[in-house]
Every structure is written in structure tokens, then in C-alpha cells.
Amino acid sequence: MAESANQATNGEEEDYMGDLSQFLPQDATDPPISLPKKASNNKTVDIQPTKKKFKTLNWQEKRRLERERKQHEEDEQTLVNIEAPIPQSNIGFRLLKQMGYTPGAALGKEGSGRAEPVGLEIRRSRAGIGREDPVKEKRKREEIMADKMRRKEESLMEEFGTRQKSQWRSRRVVVNFKKAKAALDQLENKEVVEPKKNEDEQEEGDQEEEEEEITEEDLQDILMTLREEHRYCLFCGCQYESMEALLSNCPGTSEDDH
Amino acid sequence: MGTERKRKLSLFDVVDETSVSAKIAKSNGGGAAMNHNAGNNLINSWTGRPYSQRYLEILEKRKTLPVWHQKEEFLQVLKSNQTLILVGETGSGKTTQIPQFVLEAVDIEAPDKRRKMMIACTQPRRVAAMSVSRRVAEEMDVNIGEEVGYSIRFEDCSSAKTVLKYLTDGMLLREAMTDPLLERYKVIILDEAHERTLATDVLFGLLKEVLKNRPDLKLVVMSATLEAEKFQGYFFGAPLMKVPGRLHPVEIFYTQDPERDYLEAAIRTVVQIHMCEPPGDVLVFLTGEEEIEDACRKIKKEVQNLGDQVGPVNVVPLYSTLPPALQQKIFDPAPPPQQEGGRPGRKIVCVESLLVSPISKASAHQRSGRAGRTQPGKCFRLYTEKSFNNDLQPQTYPEILRSNLANTVLTLKKLGIDDLVHFDFMDPPAPETLMRALEVLNYLGALDDDGNLTKLGEIMSEFPLDPQMSKMLVVSPEFNCSNEILSISAMLSVPNCFVRPREAQKAADEAKARFGHIDGDHLTLLNVYHAYKQNNEDANWCYENFVNFRALKAADNVRQQLVRIMARFNLKLCSTDFNSRDYYINIRKAMLAGYFMQVAHLERTGHYLTVKDNQVVHLHPSNCLDHKPEWVIYNEYVLTSRNFIRTVTDIRGEWLVDIAPHYYDLENFPQCEAKRVLERLYKKREKDREENKNRK
């Protein structure tokens, strides 16, 4: 996401992504929009809409956001500092050890105490239970949204990929079928080799076949005919001496096997 | 009195159980009257005077309390066990009645027969100790401070006559320091044990030891239903007795959606209750002084705006830093209707919870119980039912797991408990918490490098203060300013003395500025105290100068108590000549000698960083400095809208390396701006020394 967001900041790429999102199903984009949306302060999340928002914000709002962001950074640092472990060289550590403390163990008559102090949670707002600090909540919301967006894009890309792949595949089928057909014709009418005529015929055939729509099954049929009747493999590109030679030398019946 | 003693002596030792029960039944449990024969039970055996009419009236009411139905059962269990656990739901009457039952039934004469032993009943809160003891004195028809007394930090309302003493758990712990086996007590009742305050938890472990050494001592642990089995397991499987609460049904309401602002929601809900609900008082739980005062003001205003369509309200704040006399206001009745037949008045009490964090299920249950003590009630929870089920943890963490333990460790050390690792805590703290405490005490010089209590540490432990403040007091004579440090300590131990009414903020700020000392808030507090004394402790003067008279009176009282402790250890009371330029410098140095671990350095970026742990902090807006000093000491680190350091004073970097070189040891110092400054200071000091030598 970070990558795409960076791309999104310059030029056409951004439009491309923007367009893409328009094709997202309505329900996916709805809830975040309906929520009270303030400009984002999260670097990893779509910068473009935020930027647009910033332009409409007055300086007071900007200052407030900046303050919020700084406060947030400060709080994270505070928590990191609080959670920093006490080194073994610390006099408190040494004194406790002298009392019989085994590093890593818990305290109490049966050693049943807590291993770590109860964590601290910094709440900067009067948000009620079940509702997080607005800053935190906003961040969470943004994360969820970014995640959703990412997944949407991924699935879209995937869909696009499969569509492309299947298109390419069906085109391949047609190409292969044509080749096979040509080979078969060649093998069946060795005497009447008239390249020009053949080409004409082929073109006609092609047209007919295209109209008929060549499926993978058609391709399969013609390939099998070639193999069984003429010991010819289209993908090996040669006619084998015997059926045994074909079976032992040709890696398989499909193009992928080659 | 002599004959009475004999009769009491015979109660448990000679008379068999059945006749005790019979006697109890006959006398109907009429207070101490059971010591007399039937015809004589209108005489109060404590005072020798006839019982008042009021006593008899109250007695009738007392007899209806649920706990009375189990009086005999209780006394039986108490007689045959050293420890017992009494689980009583809210409203069972256990706090007021059980100590009186014990007093009637247990022989409290000391073995030497020259004095009486006492019954102690601990309370986690000061206000509860005071108010319950008053109530019990009334029930026993005696004067408060005589047979029934109370003892809270800096206030002892008991006498040689006292036989039943309500005291904070912290005070009982303090008493154990001079009386390790608590020999003045015959029975100790730990009330509200489920609250698991720091002092109660330490008392648990301590009393388990004391009970082994004193077979004649009895312990009653009283708790709400929470965790009763846990207590039982901890106290050698002591018998558990249950007293049903007189609980009326309580209807519980939740909000539809989580609240955006719980304070706003609380105010809105209170006003709605006042408008729509039948008569009855309201209890609002909030998180601290500022919030409570804010809520009280807003509720009053909102109700005023409603005019005649609603009845009058009496909105009362209650928080720990409120002067005790003001705390008592919660017992005032609801205001009467404004006119004949008008809408009834309502009392709204805004109280402080002990902890600013989401409530646990157990505490939420406990709180809702308060609504059903006297009549069916309603409980409005400002969160959703889903949140209750999914977001709340089942139990609140006991205080010992959440607190700084420096003071506790010092107390334990003084009590002779050297092995803190295997001490029988009900919930042992995390190793790190103890390490931090030991570290602080070692740096303060209260513990030596082998963890032994030093002479200094022993003296420090005698002060009912934080170790930093105790240290500052103990060393203050060396800086020739113990009088001033005593005043500052006293001022820091009472609620904020500056009054800032909303309608006169400007005048209040101007008044405060007149006391302001540009070098720091501690010195400003000293100025206020001096001015108060110079103006003959006049309440009017206080009022005119926006200073809280009660806070100053309390400070004066605290100071006297501290002076007594100083005298006990022959600590000199002295002052630097006020006209000397060292007057304030000595005071600031003495403060630094105690608070050298609470120092912040001004970074080039313009904010402060606390030393060693490098936390970003900001000067609290209430400070009265006219500049941003490079180095400050601070009294508190508060996390509110930002990380603030409150009550700050300017100190010099040179003093750090002179007074606390063991803490400002550069080998043990994280890389930061402050370190580089200190390096220069050390070099400078070296150079100065060299020069001095050369000059000589």
C-alpha cells in the first residue's frame, strides 16, 4: 500500500488508481465515508485525499492536527521508554537478586506473581468505554480502510490478471488449432501440396472455424488425431517413427508439457 | 470500672457457649449493656450514664440490619477461629455493626490488667474512617475520640480511653512499624478487603506472620462478594461467613452506543434523571478533582436553566484532596422543595473512583449495588451492554500491581521483612516494579548496596511521606533551612491551596502572582505559608487573597506533626538569614537533595526531557516561573492532556554534580543533551578544584 500511495502522488498513476476505485462496489466504500472524517495524519494511508482536505483546512485546524500528531508521537515514545527493560547492571536489579531473585522468574511465596508490570494505556480524551481515544480510533479506522482498499485492489488486479490470462489462453488455443490443422492437412494430403492453395483454404477454414469458435476441446481432438493417426506431435514439431518412439520421446500431449 | 472488667473477663473464659448465646439473646445485643444484669441495661457501661433516647431509637433500627440476624453465628465462628472471612453485600451493616459485636464479646483487657486492648477496623479511605467512626460513636452513645476514635494520616482522633478505633489501612501499617506484633490490638478487622489497596495487601502478608506469633490475636477480613474464595485460600482456609445484603432490586440501563465524551454523557444523564425520575439521590462516579468540580458546576447550571419545572438540587463534590470538613457535606440531606408542594429536592454527589481507567465487571457490579441500599434503585452505565460483556476485564488489578512501591518497600524494610522476593503477597508485584523501588531507595541512601536499611533510611521511614520528601526533610538541617523545608513539605502534602473561582479568575491569578517567586512553585508555596502566618492565620485574609483557608490550616497541622518527628530524631530546626543571598539557594539545594531523581532538562528544541529516562515533558501551565530554566526539579509527573511536570523549581546544573554525583554518574547515563552539559560541568568542577589547589 505504501508503494501505491507513493505512486498515487504523481501524475497519471494516481488517476489510474482513482479510476479503479470508482469501480469498487458501493458497499465497500460507504461506511468510512459516512464516518466523521478528519484529515489523516497517517503517512501510510492515501495521501492524496488528505492533501486535498488540507487545502480546505484553516490554519487553526492545521495546527491542531499537527499538535495531535506530535502528541501521538510523544505518547508512543513515552510508552517505549516505560517499557524499556531494566539492565542487569542496575542497582535495583542487583539488590533484588541479592534477595534471592532468579532473573526471569516471578515473585511471591510460590513464585506466582506477574512477570511484567501492568501495562499503561494513555487516554487523552473522554471517550467512553467501548470507544477508543478519537486519535487512536481514527488511526484504527484508517488502517482498516487502507486494508480494505488494498484487498480490493489486490482482488481487482487478480481478476484483471485472470481475465488476461484466459484471453491469452483462448488466443493460444486458436493459434495452436490452426497450426495443428495445417499439419494435419499436410500429413493427410502429402501429394497435393499447394502452399498457396492451402493458405487460401486455411484462411477460409480459419474464418469458418473462428465463427464456430474454437474451444480447447477442438484443439484436444485435433491434437489426438495427429498423434494417433500420424504419430505427429505439434509441439515437438516432428513425426515419430513409431507410437513407442512418440510415447517415450514426447513429454506430453499439451503445450505446457513442452 | 473494676467490677465491669471482671464481668467481661468471665465472658469467654468461664461461661460456656450456650449461656453466651442465651445472654446475647436476652440482652437483645443492646450494645455493651450485656455486661450488666437485665434490670440495669439502660445504663451505658462505657460512660456510666443512662442511654439517651436517640441511642434507643438507633438501636431499633440497627436490629433490622441483616448482619444482626447472624450475630450469634458470627460470635461463635469468631470464638473458635483465629481468622475468619466475612462476606457481606453492600448494605448488610457489617462496617458499623461487626466491630461493635466484637467489642461486646471479646475480652479486651490486657494481660497486665492495667489497660485495655483495642479493636481496630481498617478503611481504605480517610473519609470513611472518619464518618463511620462518628456514626458508631453515636450508636454506642459515646463521644467521638473517646471510646470510639479514628486515626488517619496527620489526624489522630483517639485517646487512652479508646477501645474501638477506625483507621485507614495505611495508618495501621504505620503503627506496625513501632509495634511489629500490633500488641495494642486484640482483634483486627480489615474492612473493604476487596478494594485491595496497597496498604491492605501489605497488611495481609504482614498479619499472616503476626497471627503465627500472636495466638491471642484475631483477624476478621471483611469483603464484598468479590474474590471471597481467593481470600479463603490465602488465609489458611479460614471459615467463610456470608451475610446477605439488604439489597433492593437495581435496574441496570446501558447506552445504545459508546459515548464520545463520558463526562458530557454523565452530566446529561444526571439532568435527565433529575427531570424524569422519582425522588432519590444520585451518585456519579468520575475520575478526579478537576472533572468532579467541572461536573458539579455544569450540573448546577443546567438545572438552574430548567427553572421552576424541576426541584432544587444540592450538588456535592467528593474527592480525596477535598478538606475533610467539606467531605462531610455528602451527609447533608437533600434540599427541601422551594415552595410548599413544590417538586422535591435531590442530592447529587459526584465521587472519585480510585483509578482512571476502564472499570472492571466486578467493580461495575459493586457500584450498581450502591443504588439499592435503601430502596429499589437504578444504575445508568454509560457504555453499551456489549461493551460490558466484551470489553471489561473481570477484576480490577490490585493497587500493588499498578503502583510505585518505593514507599512500600521502605515500610517493609522497616518492618524487618528483608526477603521481598518470597514475601507472601496475595498478588506479588512484577520484579521490575520492585527493582525500581529498590533503585530509588538506594540512590536516596535509604538502602545500602547490600539492601540493608541505613540509619538514614530508618529515619526516613518514620515520616508518613514519599521517600524523596522524607529525604529532603532529613537532610535539610545540613543546608541550614529545615524550617523552610518543613513548610514546603507541609504545603505539598495538602490539597492545592490556590482558589480560582470561575467568576473571578483574573483576580485570583493576580492574587497568586503576588505570592509568586520567579525561581519556582515550591518557593511560591513557601511565600503563601509565610504570608498566612504573618496574617495571623486569618480566614478572611485567605478569602481575600484567593487562598484556601482549610488547606493552609491543614498544612499548619501537618507541619506540626512533621516537626514532632524531626524532634524525635534530634533533627535541628534552623533557617538561613532571610537577608542572606543564600536563603533561597539553600532551600533549593535541600530540595534537590531529595528530588534529584525528579529533574528535567530543557532541550534546545524547547521542551523538557526528564533525566535518565528521557521522557518528553512540559511545564504545567500553573507554574509561576518567568523563564524556562535549563534545569528544574518537579514534584509530580502528571499525564493529563499532555505529559506535565507540576510544581517545578529552577535549580543549577552545578548543584547536580555537587549534591548527587552518584546519580549523575556519567558512566550510567544515556546519551543525550543533558549528558553533554553534565560532562562540561564535571570538567569545570575539576578545573575549579585545580585552581583552588594552586592558589593555596
Side-chain angles (χ1 to χ4, degrees), chain B residues 11-25:
Chain B
L11 255 175
F12 262 167
D13 299 346
V14 184
V15 184
D16 65 300
E17 288 169 21
T18 44
S19 62
V20 171
S21 311
K23 253 193 170 174
I24 291 164

Side-chain angles (χ1 to χ4, degrees), chain A residues 36 71 74-75 77-78 81-82 84-86 89-93 95-96 98-101 105-109 112-118 120-131, chain B residues 258-263 291 383 387 391-392 397 401 418-424 428-432 434-436 438-439 442 448-451 613-616 618 637 639-643:
Chain A
Q71 186 61 61
E74 241 179 75
D75 289 349
Q77 193 51 46
T78 303
N81 283 342
I82 286 171
I86 299 177
S89 60
N90 179 290
I91 180 69
F93 195 106
L95 287 175
L96 198 66
Q98 276 172 29
M99 290 177 182
Y101 168 66
L107 307 183
K109 203 178 173 193
S112 57
R114 287 182 68 91
E116 296 293 325
V118 174
L120 176 76
E121 195 198 345
I122 299 178
R123 287 178 86 88
R124 296 281 183 199
S125 77
R126 285 171 168 164
I129 291 171
R131 201 183 173 106
Chain B
E259 290 295 337
R260 193 182 291 262
D261 179 335
Y262 61 78
L263 185 65
E291 209 170 274
Y383 41 86
S387 272
D391 299 346
L392 302 188
Y397 287 121
L401 299 181
D418 288 318
D419 182 359
L420 299 174
V421 174
H422 302 101
F423 183 70
D424 193 3
E432 274 196 30
L434 275 190
M435 287 176 201
R436 289 282 178 227
L438 290 166
E439 182 189 14
N442 177 263
D448 63 20
D449 287 353
D450 296 321
D613 52 1
N614 283 347
Q615 298 284 30
V616 176
H618 310 273
Y637 176 91
L639 262 98
T640 51
S641 57
R642 306 184 82 180
N643 295 358

Side-chain angles (χ1 to χ4, degrees), chain B residues 9 107-117 183 185-186 214 216:
Chain B
L9 192 69
D107 165 31
I108 53 165
E109 191 160 331
D112 64 8
K113 308 220 185 320
R114 285 218 302 273
R115 61 194 165 88
K116 285 200 179 82
M117 288 168 80
E183 282 173 296
Y185 297 108
K186 187 80 185 179
R214 269 197 58 197
D216 63 312

